[in-house]
Amino acid sequence: MSSYTIALEGSTYRGSVALLCGWEIVAERTLGEENGGAPHSGRGEKLMPALAECMRDAGVKGNAIAQIVCGAGPGSFTSLRVAGSVAKGLAVGYGAPLYAVSSLTLTVTGARPALPAGDYLSVLDAMRGEYYVARLTLRSDHSATQQGAMSLLTVEELAALTQAGSAPRVVGPGQVLDFHPHARGVAPLLESILESGPVDLASWEPDYGRLAEAQVRWEAEHGRPLPR
């Protein structure tokens, strides 16, 4: 019996799911695009129905699921929290290990049409006038490697980089290369993702990038960290 990988991505409002058999994408859905819906209609709570459609279309049963891969952020706190919870629930329900991968990487590897090999600056909106930024090298086989740690850049800093011509091609929602992270981007990364090892289900959380606005306000008001 073939084994399958479920991939989930929820770092932006345009979430996505993909079902892989080995490195082959056998089904995928992009939330918010169905019936002409706006991206904001693709909230994380629609991940499960979209996944159910993929599995039904591919004729795949739960006992064929070998692993779950979830986009780990950074990005929208609410969407990531829902996607992470769904991924954990699937891992428990199917008895499958859960793996995580940077959503900034999935922007580059999941782009359609596929981007040419080269260096990219993958960006996602961090709000408060800032972007999450990671430099990535995309190979001819569509796999990618992140160069250095993720950083935060202001809108002005990013604009200065691009105008000076000192940055690689910028890719991300609302950019000239206008792509969102997508679950299908797991396919060319699957080997390296599995080699990195699964996360601990009890302790893993997505990389939100920064605290939620509500938590920031609570901690400012009370002068102490929010109890977990």
Side-chain angles (χ1 to χ4, degrees):
M1 181 178 66
S2 299
S3 62
Y4 292 82
T5 300
I6 290 172
L8 308 169
E9 164 51 34
S11 61
T12 70
Y13 288 108
R14 188 173 292 172
S16 55
V17 300
L19 186 65
L20 316 178
C21 182
W23 290 269
E24 179 186 358
I25 302 166
V26 296
E28 63 176 79
R29 293 290 188 279
T30 304
L31 307 181
E33 291 186 346
E34 301 85 354
N35 302 317
H40 279 65
S41 68
R43 299 288 303 204
E45 55 266 24
K46 295 187 177 181
L47 288 171
M48 279 300 294
L51 174 60
E53 288 181 6
C54 287
M55 294 182 67
R56 183 187 66 235
D57 291 352
V60 174
K61 303 298 183 182
N63 60 358
I65 301 302
Q67 56 262 330
I68 317 296
V69 180
C70 185
S76 164
F77 184 91
T78 301
S79 295
L80 278 172
R81 195 168 186 85
V82 173
S85 297
V86 169
K88 283 188 173 186
L90 290 170
V92 172
Y94 291 138
L98 172 62
Y99 297 80
V101 60
S102 168
S103 298
L104 288 161
T105 302
L106 294 181
T107 303
V108 174
T109 60
R112 292 294 184 274
L115 297 170
D119 294 328
Y120 292 89
L121 200 65
S122 181
V123 305
L124 288 170
D125 188 7
M127 305 185 70
R128 308 179 200 171
E130 294 180 317
Y131 286 101
Y132 302 116
V133 176
R135 290 176 180 259
L136 293 139
T137 297
L138 181 67
R139 303 182 188 88
S140 57
D141 64 358
H142 306 301
S143 64
T145 301
Q146 183 171 316
Q147 307 299 331
M150 181 196 77
S151 60
L152 276 173
L153 290 182
T154 65
V155 172
E156 293 77 18
E157 288 170 337
L158 181 61
L161 273 178
T162 55
Q163 290 168 7
S166 56
R169 290 162 286 187
V170 179
V171 56
Q175 304 302 315
V176 174
L177 295 173
D178 186 4
F179 297 102
H180 285 246
H182 202 288
R184 63 180 166 237
V186 166
L189 301 169
L190 188 58
E191 182 176 1
S192 62
I193 290 171
L194 297 182
E195 287 177 353
S196 70
V199 303
D200 177 68
L201 283 180
S203 61
W204 179 77
E205 289 188 1
D207 177 10
Y208 299 113
R210 59 171 21 134
L211 300 177
E213 294 287 346
Q215 183 172 346
V216 171
R217 291 195 296 269
W218 191 96
E219 292 182 353
E221 180 181 346
H222 292 83
R224 57 188 174 87
L226 182 70
R228 294 181 65 85

